[in-house]
Amino acid sequence: MPTILKIQGGKPLKGTIEISGAKNSALPLMVACLLTDKPFILSNVPNLADIRTITQVLETLGVIAHEDGNTRTLNASNIISTTAPYELVKTMRASVLVLGPLLARFGHAKVSLPGGCALGARAIDVHLEGLRAMGVTCDLEEGYVIAKAPKDGLKGAHFTMRVVSVGATENLMLAASIAKGETVLQNAAREPEIIDLANCLNAMGADVQGAGTDTITIQGVDSLNGTQYKVMPDRLETGSYAMASLITGGDLTLTNTSLKYLPMVRETLEKAGAVFEELDNGFRVAQKGPIIGVDVMTEPYPGFATDLQAPFMALMSVCEGASMITETIFENRFMHVPELARMGANIQVHGASAMIRGVKNLSGAPVMATDIRAGIGMVVAALAAKGETTISRLYHLDRGYETLEAKLQACGAVVERHKAEI
Ligand code: EPZ
């Protein structure tokens, strides 16, 4: 039964929100279980729809998965299939991450091409180019990539990525960890989630150096062990709630997280008038004075994250002055603009840039979540808007925000989930 969120805006958020484990780290970390026949235990895994999807993908391959609260035990000792089917890959592109580890451990894999998504074409050509450099042959049959490693296994390679891709960097790190010889990935993604994956692989006995820089060097080892590993905090959930604090004139403490994952976001929000106080296990964030318009361009890490562009646009829609937001990562990531306009925002899009002229108030309206982050943009806007906002297509939000309404309610937000009237 589809559900909707009803939010009565205008209440300053005050209190503490505990940040969950990072979805975008947990996904590749869970896939890493395919590299070993030993038990693999991950803690701080968020309970989210995307985590259930990757679990289903792994179970289709033969992985035995146990769930205990936020801990997942995964055992890939009895793999029965090396095919990731279209039905699962089309709902979540990160499913293609199984390609690298399956090729490395079993020598073959059949993975559905994901197809387009709400954010644009989002090819996986760089993933495949990197694997080809490691000796893999890839054929396309009926929408599936049929990939085969050389008879004597994947070969380490020196590979420069044409575009900085988080997923391709992860896929190739996973593959290279048990390939023969040295792999050097140049122009690699530098996101904190890449460091988390490298730390986990090293805890399994891999030799991955340089994660967090644009050159990652991996010395392949014969086999990997199981391990116990804690997923890093979700920096995107962190940034989203920080913006919710600011737009409502609130005062939030975010725990189990750190500002160190958000250098550019912090700098930008400070220019907009935010005040941060670092604490042992997180930070406090509140707005001082009016929200000032700031220009932003999304970029690969350490730049401003594309995944925080929509909530930042919601914040800027009530700024003093104006803000120009330029999206450089995805070609189609302004789907939230017409939704914000329904709430009274004044936004003009020119190609990859949006000009936001601040308005005094947003007003509640029925709107849609068009992807995970557009959805949280709607939530941030609704928390500040006058009157009631109804957000539909909540399945997008449920992919990325664990216990969203409970976390907000605990800080004074008036938000409820209802069954949608059909
Ligand atoms: C990851 O997606 C994240 N997903 C995305 O978060 C995030 O928006 C994105 O990185 C950018 O930061 C996960 O970590 C699970 P990319 P990914 O490969 O890896 C192009 C969210 O809301 N490209 O870094 O798929 C691509 O089209 C999600 O949580 C190629 O051209 O992103 C895009 O323009 C949404 N060829 C750019 O590179 C390729 O082979 C960056 O994509 C691969 C990518």
Side-chain angles (χ1 to χ4, degrees):
M1 165 68 84
T3 54
I4 52 168
L5 270 193
K6 285 193 175 179
I7 300 180
Q8 306 287 342
K11 303 270 184 298
L13 289 184
K14 292 204 167 135
T16 300
I17 294 182
E18 188 177 326
I19 298 300
S20 299
K23 164 182 86 78
N24 288 350
S25 197
L27 292 170
L29 289 174
M30 287 175 74
V31 168
C33 81
L34 292 170
L35 291 167
T36 176
D37 59 2
K38 306 284 185 319
F40 179 86
I41 303 169
L42 275 183
S43 59
N44 204 30
V45 177
N47 277 313
L48 295 170
D50 276 11
I51 299 297
R52 291 188 280 282
T53 304
I54 201 72
T55 305
Q56 266 182 287
V57 173
L58 295 171
E59 285 176 339
T60 305
L61 306 177
V63 170
I64 308 289
H66 285 292
E67 180 179 333
D68 178 9
N70 288 104
T71 298
R72 298 286 184 287
T73 303
L74 303 165
N75 191 318
S77 60
N78 187 23
I79 292 301
I80 52 168
S81 162
T82 53
T83 300
Y86 177 60
E87 294 65 40
L88 294 172
V89 180
K90 75 173 182 199
T91 63
M92 192 189 64
R93 298 174 44 84
S95 311
V96 302
L97 293 176
V98 301
L99 194 51
L102 286 176
L103 279 165
R105 187 157 154 226
F106 303 102
H108 50 88
K110 181 176 168 186
V111 173
S112 170
L113 277 177
C117 79
L119 307 183
R122 291 185 81 186
I124 58 161
D125 49 345
V126 180
H127 300 233
L128 301 183
E129 283 164 19
L131 290 170
R132 283 195 187 101
M134 300 177 83
V136 172
T137 56
C138 300
D139 293 311
L140 185 68
E141 276 177 29
E142 296 172 346
Y144 280 77
V145 177
I146 317 271
K148 290 197 180 81
K151 277 210 174 64
D152 54 347
L154 287 186
K155 293 185 295 233
H158 287 220
F159 178 67
T160 303
M161 286 182 224
R162 276 186 298 108
V163 287
V164 182
S165 162
V166 176
T169 303
E170 292 165 345
N171 224 334
L172 298 174
M173 281 165 75
L174 289 159
S177 62
I178 53 169
K180 289 201 166 56
E182 179 182 86
T183 297
V184 180
L185 301 176
Q186 270 161 336
N187 201 26
R190 291 179 280 168
E191 269 69 2
E193 291 78 10
I194 301 285
I195 302 177
D196 217 26
L197 178 60
N199 289 342
C200 179
L201 289 171
N202 288 341
M204 295 168 78
D207 182 355
V208 183
Q209 307 299 327
T213 75
D214 64 0
T215 305
I216 301 176
T217 305
I218 303 138
Q219 306 292 343
V221 296
D222 288 343
S223 63
L224 293 179
N225 285 313
T227 192
Q228 291 199 18
Y229 191 81
K230 184 176 175 193
V231 178
M232 66 170 281
D234 196 314
R235 67 193 165 95
L236 304 171
E237 189 194 23
T238 306
S240 305
Y241 288 136
M243 293 177 198
S245 177
L246 302 180
I247 199 169
T248 61
D251 184 349
L252 280 186
T253 297
L254 304 178
T255 60
N256 278 353
T257 187
S258 170
L259 276 172
K260 73 176 180 197
Y261 304 121
L262 294 162
M264 189 55 82
V265 171
R266 177 189 186 157
E267 195 181 310
T268 307
L269 294 180
E270 279 175 342
K271 284 186 193 154
V275 179
F276 291 93
E277 184 192 344
E278 291 198 57
L279 305 169
D280 283 350
N281 184 29
F283 63 92
R284 195 174 151 194
V285 54
Q287 180 69 24
K288 197 172 156 222
I291 296 164
I292 313 291
V294 185
D295 294 347
V296 149
M297 185 184 280
T298 63
E299 280 173 314
Y301 195 86
F304 193 97
T306 173
D307 291 334
L308 288 170
Q309 184 253 104
F312 184 71
M313 190 179 290
L315 180 66
M316 289 295 102
S317 64
V318 291
C319 73
E320 235 181 49
S323 157
M324 169 90 92
I325 300 183
T326 304
E327 172 59 50
T328 73
I329 307 293
F330 292 115
E331 66 263 36
N332 196 19
R333 213 170 198 184
F334 282 147
M335 304 264 281
H336 43 281
V337 170
E339 303 300 314
L340 287 171
R342 304 195 76 247
M343 301 177 73
N346 179 354
I347 306 171
Q348 258 79 48
V349 174
H350 305 279
S353 294
M355 168 62 82
I356 303 112
R357 292 184 175 85
V359 294
K360 213 160 183 294
N361 289 302
L362 294 174
S363 49
V367 292
M368 281 188 308
T370 49
D371 71 72
I372 310 176
R373 312 301 170 185
I376 200 70
M378 293 304 119
V379 171
V380 167
L383 288 167
K386 282 200 163 143
E388 180 175 279
T389 299
T390 310
I391 306 177
S392 57
R393 301 204 180 168
L394 283 198
Y395 51 88
H396 286 300
L397 270 165
D398 293 338
R399 292 183 58 185
Y401 292 86
E402 192 181 32
T403 59
L404 172 79
E405 57 267 35
K407 288 185 181 187
L408 291 173
Q409 281 159 359
C411 297
V414 182
V415 44
E416 277 173 6
R417 190 178 285 248
H418 294 272
K419 284 184 184 149
E421 288 160 28
I422 301 173

